Amino acid sequence: LRHNALEPVTCQSCVGDVAAVMDLAGAEGSGGWLLESEAAELGVGRISLFQPSGCGIASGTDTRTMRLARVLFEDGARMQFWVGKVPGGQLGMPSDSTVFRILNPRGEISSRSFGAPGGCEAYARAA
């Protein structure tokens, strides 16, 4: 399960289409996403925020205010979801209705919401 390993913190790659794949690690040069910011938290993992760059973006997505958040957990799980900017330009927290996709350490992909994380509660809280 090479795709579940954490990538180096120095990674500055672009990533591919979020709706199509969970494998964001090998998509350098795809042009769909630009790394905007990244932070690591001991005991949790690393969160990266990606800005849409225009190609391969789902229709109806407001590329000025929406960011793709990707969390790489220390246990190898990956989570991704959309977050929006609130007045003042800061990114808001995901709401209960925000849907996330998760690739668990066993390689199973699921979609859940933060309000009903169904078996992914620890990941939802950490994100």
Side-chain angles (χ1 to χ4, degrees):
L1 292 174
R2 177 186 65 81
H3 300 294
N4 284 355
L6 289 177
E7 299 166 24
V9 175
T10 59
C11 178
Q12 295 292 319
S13 64
C14 292
V15 297
D17 187 313
V18 65
V21 294
M22 287 291 293
D23 177 22
L24 302 177
E28 292 88 359
S30 68
W33 302 94
L34 300 173
L35 181 63
E36 184 173 279
S37 64
E38 194 166 64
E41 185 171 333
L42 190 63
V44 177
R46 187 176 78 224
I47 186 166
S48 305
L49 294 174
F50 294 93
Q51 178 180 1
S53 68
C55 61
I57 308 304
S59 66
T61 301
D62 185 349
T63 60
R64 295 165 296 158
T65 62
M66 297 300 289
R67 297 295 180 265
L68 174 67
R70 179 183 69 181
V71 183
L72 302 176
F73 294 98
E74 288 185 345
D75 68 356
R78 291 176 177 234
M79 174 189 279
Q80 58 193 38
F81 53 92
W82 287 101
V83 291
K85 290 188 176 183
V86 296
Q90 298 293 326
L91 288 174
M93 297 294 291
S95 68
D96 283 350
S97 63
T98 301
V99 174
F100 62 86
R101 289 182 52 159
I102 189 158
L103 173 67
N104 69 26
R106 294 178 307 278
E108 302 162 337
I109 298 174
S110 302
S111 292
R112 303 281 189 269
S113 71
F114 282 95
C120 301
E121 290 84 0
Y123 294 117
R125 274 192 308 277

